[in-house]
Amino acid sequence: MAMASSVKKSKQTAPRYTRAELMNHAEALFAVKAEVLYGALYEAAQETFSIEETQERFNQFMKAKVKG
């Protein structure tokens, strides 16, 4: 029983991908060109992202107002 409870406690982490991997598959994953995804991830300090994190950053990027 102790082993079963410890397995449930360990949280499964989402796989993480590099910027290059995400940009190579941007059209298939997010239906956008790699350039758009590059813009969404431009200011991020980290080097790897999960699909969910990338989608969230992309959504924020698309909702941002253009300063001009």
Side-chain angles (χ1 to χ4, degrees):
M1 268 307 186
M3 188 165 179
S5 63
S6 66
V7 170
K8 287 182 182 179
K9 287 181 183 178
S10 66
K11 193 165 69 169
Q12 237 182 356
T13 58
R16 301 184 71 78
Y17 305 96
T18 65
R19 291 172 195 253
E21 289 174 312
L22 291 167
M23 287 174 46
N24 285 337
H25 302 284
E27 290 190 38
L29 292 170
F30 308 107
V32 299
K33 293 197 178 273
E35 294 85 359
V36 177
L37 190 59
Y38 179 84
L41 299 177
Y42 180 74
E43 292 185 353
Q46 66 218 56
E47 292 297 318
T48 60
F49 305 88
S50 69
I51 300 293
E52 293 79 20
E53 286 175 323
T54 306
Q55 185 68 51
E56 184 177 318
R57 286 183 176 276
F58 171 72
N59 289 340
Q60 288 175 341
F61 178 75
M62 294 305 286
K63 289 179 185 175
K65 293 190 181 209
V66 177
K67 296 178 184 176

